[in-house]
Amino acid sequence: MLRALDDLTDEQAAAPCRLPGWTRAELITHLARNADGIRGMVEAANRGESAAMYPSAEARSAGIAEGRGVRASALRSDLRGAHDRLVEAWEALADGGWEIRGRASADRTMREFVWVRRKEVEIHTVDLDLGLEPSDWPVAFVGPALDEVISTLPDRALVNRPRVDIEYRVVCTDHDRAWRIELHGDHIGVRDDDGAAADGEAIGWGCDIVAWLYGRDPRGGGGIVASGDLAVLRLPTWFPYA
């Protein structure tokens, strides 16, 4: 991400990114404040304390809004400094502090927040719309992202999603993985695929499947090959990733 910002102009910073309603400046500022929030939890954990990432939702929104109109050079400096301070806090964290929990959208250990930060950076690098795409994500990110975005699918179900009786298969060709999504009324099941016939199938590279299910596929599933019941392509709509 930092390399992607090397040539950022003031005009590009003020322009919209791929997140609806956000400018690039706001997104970069959000990433800096996200690093600050995690660092605050890590520093608290090093004192044996549990802390929250943000004082409130309002404080989080205010931090993002502060990026409006900020020049590109200041945005680069802000993000790099916030990132460096977070890394320093991680490096200083005592062994016992890694299992202390912090409070954000969900309570997690400091160890788990390392993944949260990486995911935030990888996804928003694509959201910046500066030439980097999901195909640029490293395999070391795509593998765990696949596990997370599919295993947490039941937790993301919209209340008003269609109640259907159907089974889908999602196949990741380059990771040699496949999952079965079972939708039976209110029941939502996710498990490793057993090879049995499915009503619909979605096949793609790992990066395309992650982008599709994260809602970060500008092609709207264009990297996915679907067959059978094509409503399988509506999974990101029924199970949106916030």
Side-chain angles (χ1 to χ4, degrees):
M1 170 169 281
L2 292 172
R3 286 195 299 271
L5 298 181
D6 280 345
D7 299 321
L8 185 74
T9 67
D10 292 343
E11 291 75 15
Q12 287 174 317
C17 64
R18 286 182 180 174
L19 282 181
W22 290 56
T23 65
R24 291 190 180 96
E26 290 171 314
L27 183 54
I28 294 165
T29 302
H30 161 60
L31 279 159
R33 301 292 77 80
N34 174 269
D36 288 343
I38 295 177
R39 174 175 56 84
M41 293 189 295
V42 172
E43 291 173 344
N46 214 13
R47 300 190 299 268
E49 303 169 2
S50 176
M53 181 184 292
Y54 300 107
S56 65
E58 292 75 17
R60 176 183 179 274
S61 297
I64 295 169
E66 288 176 359
R68 294 172 189 159
V70 175
R71 300 189 66 174
S73 59
L75 292 167
R76 282 192 293 269
S77 178
D78 185 23
L79 180 57
R80 186 179 293 278
H83 168 75
D84 288 346
R85 290 188 293 271
L86 172 57
V87 171
E88 290 170 1
W90 274 333
E91 290 176 342
L93 184 58
D95 289 347
W98 288 101
E99 303 312 318
I100 292 179
R101 303 183 75 81
R103 302 188 299 279
S105 56
D107 291 358
R108 297 179 175 89
T109 66
M110 294 304 104
R111 190 180 309 280
E112 292 169 326
F113 272 109
V114 176
W115 165 254
V116 170
R117 176 61 182 177
R118 177 165 195 181
K119 180 175 61 175
E120 194 85 0
V121 171
E122 296 285 8
I123 292 174
H124 287 327
T125 297
V126 170
D127 289 336
L128 279 173
D129 197 18
L130 290 172
L132 292 169
E133 298 293 342
S135 57
D136 295 301
W137 283 334
V139 173
F141 167 71
V142 172
L146 279 167
D147 289 330
E148 184 205 46
V149 75
I150 291 177
S151 67
T152 61
L153 188 143
D155 301 327
R156 307 196 308 271
L158 289 180
V159 174
N160 61 348
R161 68 175 179 83
R163 277 5 183 220
V164 295
D165 187 19
I166 204 163
E167 295 191 6
Y168 294 128
R169 179 187 294 113
V170 176
V171 181
C172 174
T173 54
D174 54 338
H175 287 249
D176 196 24
R177 302 280 306 277
W179 299 265
R180 179 166 294 260
I181 314 298
E182 302 168 336
L183 306 179
H184 300 295
D186 288 330
H187 171 75
I188 305 164
V190 179
R191 59 183 174 86
D192 288 340
D193 183 59
D194 58 8
D199 299 293
E201 185 174 74
I203 302 177
W205 284 5
C207 59
D208 287 327
I209 290 174
V210 170
W212 171 55
L213 292 177
Y214 273 157
R216 258 67 182 192
D217 182 2
R219 296 170 295 177
I224 305 297
V225 176
S227 61
D229 187 330
L230 298 185
V232 65
L233 292 174
R234 298 187 64 191
L235 286 176
T237 303
W238 297 343
F239 305 92
Y241 195 94

